[in-house]
């Protein structure tokens, strides 16, 4: 259940080639050209694609969690939202609902300082993570630029969820380093704010940590870049969708294909044979 | 069995037969629903499968979508069809577009007590079917008889797509008939409520009964009444077949006239049966006005039997 966190899709096992194809509207993209950019989810991998109305995926994630709970499955749902999405009613309805029913669900709030051009101070008087307690949920702030801190916070939230302790709202504090989209030159962001965050680049931080552990980051980086170049080249060869297929698939005919179990093949955690997230 | 009991019966059959089926809505468990459709179901199936929710229509629809995509068969109750406006976004943007975008089915049923005729006022009387006919990916059905209420509900629950089931409040206790026991499906297709030769009246929901009453004895004319039952998919073949046979068409809508289901029927006939028509397509519908509370005002807005009668008479003489 995903929002803009592209890395999460990769961890779930979405091939980079299909992501490139998705962005270029190719037939082999994850939505086959029916939707663009990060608006996708590979159902076989247990992912439900987001929609543009935010945070619509919060109630949906709560509903998945309801089903897991009803069926007695040791499984939880997770979804992302941004700071902007906390102002809409679905944030309230989902927080209230999930806490009331003590659902195994995790809401990851990427607080990146801006909803398009609107800064936090024009969005709310009370930080959303503080609201969590008012609903009867756990709210936890974490350094959103520290990969391992985010992982640890998510793991704790997941254990709480699986123990029947209800939902967690994780606020990952970070910064949006680019415009809302390609057209946005971000003139509304003060230069010193960007500088402050540039010094806290999450990839640099993690790289330094790995290097201190003796990992050859440069070699990995080169290998990944090579893979990505090859994936992009392949994606560029993929055809655009057939216009004759534009009206197909509005309705499901026949049996419903289920959502995948959400195993994450590229997660070292999953490889250790623990429960799925 | 009344129309209302037939709906309850359909829910009970499905709850018994399929453990994936569960119900949720406002006041449906302890109270048995504002109209008592779910009365006794919580006692029989437990509070885990008959769930009283907070007053949160967007979350009712949204959580049902989430449960549906992981293999459950949720059946939600809107306390009144009018309140679906609060869940509109989840339904139209999340549920309706899910399969097209991701090939992920949303087997979801939403029950919507709709319609006026009892001084419910502007927020408890609406017929918002057409909002959802316009939104891709949603099926829309509206039974007129008790048997169809049960059969269409069961078919909706079995359907792998989101289905909006509009149950007319004014039919709940007024319509009574023998309904077959057990599980049966009514197809999402039209039904000839009365065969005729001279003129077709197309209607659905409560208006089927108004149409039947209005045309029971119309100066000896032979009037066909076609009950649409399903608005999405719309049974175009049945409509065109009836119009080609009778050559005259009156369409009755309890919904506000503009872009209503009847407008779609009129457009269909204009496009595909123009040469078979012996007169203009005539529509009888609620004007584009909120449904007023006070009885004389409400009567002035909703299509009345006399109006349908008059429309048919005029067209027969055309």
């Amino acid at each position: 259940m995903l929002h803009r966190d592209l890395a999460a899709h990769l961890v779930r096992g979405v091939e980079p080639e299909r992501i490139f194809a998705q962005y270029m509207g190719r037939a082999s993209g994850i939505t086959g050209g029916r939707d663009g950019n990060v608006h996708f989810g590979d159902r076989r991998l247990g992912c439900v694609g987001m929609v543009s109305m935010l945070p619509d995926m919060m109630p949906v994630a709560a509903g998945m969690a309801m089903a897991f709970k009803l069926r007695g499955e040791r499984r939880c749902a997770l979804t992302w939202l941004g700071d902007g999405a906390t102002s809409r009613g679905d944030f309230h309805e989902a927080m209230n609902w999930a806490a009331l029913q003590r659902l195994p669900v995790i809401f990851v709030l990427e607080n990146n300082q801006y909803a398009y051009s609107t800064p936090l101070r024009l969005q709310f008087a009370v930080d959303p993570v503080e609201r969590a307690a008012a609903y009867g949920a756990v709210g936890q702030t974490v350094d959103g630029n520290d990969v391992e801190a985010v992982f640890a916070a998510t793991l704790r939230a997941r254990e709480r969820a699986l123990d029947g302790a209800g939902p967690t709202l994780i606020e990952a504090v970070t910064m949006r380093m680019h415009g809302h989209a390609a057209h946005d030159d971000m003139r509304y962001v003060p230069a010193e704010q960007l500088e402050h965050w540039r010094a806290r680049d999450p990839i640099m931080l993690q790289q330094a940590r790995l290097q201190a552990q003796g990992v050859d980051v440069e070699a990995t980086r080169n290998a990944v870049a090579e893979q990505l170049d090859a994936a992009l080249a392949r994606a560029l060869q993929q055809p655009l969708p057939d216009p004759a297929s534009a009206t197909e698939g509005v309705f499901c005919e026949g049996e419903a294909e289920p959502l995948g179990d959400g195993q994450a093949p590229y997660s070292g955690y999953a490889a250790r044979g623990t429960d799925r997230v | 069995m009344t129309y209302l009991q037939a709906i309850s019966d359909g829910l009970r059959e499905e709850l018994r037969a399929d453990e994936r089926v569960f119900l949720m809505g406002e006041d449906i468990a302890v109270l048995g629903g504002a109209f008592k459709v779910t009365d006794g179901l919580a006692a029989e199936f437990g509070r885990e499968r008959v769930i009283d929710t907070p007053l949160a229509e967007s979350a009712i629809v949204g959580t049902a979508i989430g449960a549906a995509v992981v293999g459950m068969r949720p059946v939600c109750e809107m306390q009144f069809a009018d309140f679906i406006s609060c869940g509109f976004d989840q339904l139209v943007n999340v549920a309706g577009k899910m399969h097209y975008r991701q090939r992920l089915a949303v087997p979801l049923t939403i029950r919507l007590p709709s319609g006026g005729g009892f001084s419910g006022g502007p927020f408890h009387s609406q017929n918002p079917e057409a909002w959802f006919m316009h939104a891709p990916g949603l099926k829309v059905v509206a039974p007129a008889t008790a048997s169809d209420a049960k059969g269409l509900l069961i078919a909706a629950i079995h359907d792998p797509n989101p289905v909006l089931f509009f149950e007319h409040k004014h039919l709940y206790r007024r319509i009574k008939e023998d309904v077959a026991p057990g599980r049966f499906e009514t197809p999402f297709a039209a039904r000839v409520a009365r065969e005729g030769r001279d003129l077709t009246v197309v209607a659905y929901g409560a208006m089927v009964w108004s149409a039947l009453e209005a045309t029971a004895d119309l100066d000896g004319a032979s009037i066909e009444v076609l009950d649409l039952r399903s608005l999405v998919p719309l049974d175009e073949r049945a409509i065109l077949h009836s119009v080609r046979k009778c050559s005259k068409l009156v369409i009755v809508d309890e919904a506000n006239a503009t872009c209503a289901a009847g407008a779609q029927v009129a457009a269909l006939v204009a496009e595909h049966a123009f040469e078979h028509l012996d007169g203009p397509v005539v529509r009888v519908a609620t004007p584009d006005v909120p449904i007023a509370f006070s009885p004389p005002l409400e009567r002035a807005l909703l299509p009345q039997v006399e109006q349908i009668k008059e429309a048919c008479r005029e067209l027969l003489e055309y």
Side-chain angles (χ1 to χ4, degrees), chain A residues 123-148:
Chain A
Q123 292 188 52
F124 35 71
V126 176
D127 192 296
V129 78
E130 288 177 40
R131 294 182 223 157
Y135 289 109
V138 173
Q140 187 187 352
T141 300
V142 63
D143 178 354
N145 284 11
D146 182 339
V147 175
E148 294 186 8

Side-chain angles (χ1 to χ4, degrees), chain A residues 3 13 15 19 34 36 48 112 183 189 197 213 224 242 277:
Chain A
H3 173 207
E15 306 87 349
I19 297 178
R34 269 91 196 286
V48 180
N112 64 11
H183 63 270
V189 178
W197 285 98
Q213 292 169 18
V224 168
D242 178 2
V277 173

Side-chain angles (χ1 to χ4, degrees), chain B residues 130-265:
Chain B
W131 295 352
F132 304 102
M133 293 177 69
H134 193 71
L138 306 173
K139 294 190 179 180
V140 181
V141 299
T145 70
S147 291
D148 286 348
K150 181 176 171 185
L152 285 172
L153 178 64
I154 291 174
I157 296 170
H158 294 177
D159 198 286
N161 296 286
V163 182
L164 286 95
F165 179 88
F166 283 91
E167 48 192 62
H168 201 292
K169 301 189 292 286
H170 205 38
L171 301 180
Y172 271 159
R173 294 177 174 83
R174 197 154 62 95
I175 300 304
K176 220 174 192 169
E177 68 191 59
D178 287 337
V179 174
R183 291 165 95 199
F184 64 90
E185 286 191 24
T186 298
F188 290 0
R191 164 190 78 103
V192 177
R194 186 206 299 119
E195 284 212 60
R197 291 179 314 275
D198 301 332
L199 182 148
T200 299
V201 182
V202 166
Y204 65 90
M207 289 297 111
V208 171
W209 298 102
S210 299
L212 285 169
E213 188 186 336
T215 57
D217 180 18
L218 205 61
D219 318 323
S222 167
I223 312 284
E224 178 144 308
V225 175
L226 188 68
D227 170 7
L228 291 176
R229 297 201 293 203
S230 171
L231 305 179
V232 179
L234 188 64
D235 193 342
E236 300 188 347
R237 244 179 63 170
I239 295 164
L240 293 173
H241 176 80
S242 182
V243 170
R244 283 171 184 151
K245 181 174 70 171
C246 300
S247 302
K248 289 185 172 175
L249 173 63
V250 171
I251 308 165
V252 189
D253 264 302
E254 189 182 314
N256 298 114
T258 299
C259 298
Q264 186 61 26
V265 172

Side-chain angles (χ1 to χ4, degrees), chain A residues 211-227:
Chain A
Q211 278 166 337
Q213 292 169 18
V215 175
D216 185 352
V217 175
E218 219 33 58
T220 306
R221 190 196 299 280
N222 292 338
V224 168
E226 218 166 278
Q227 278 181 37

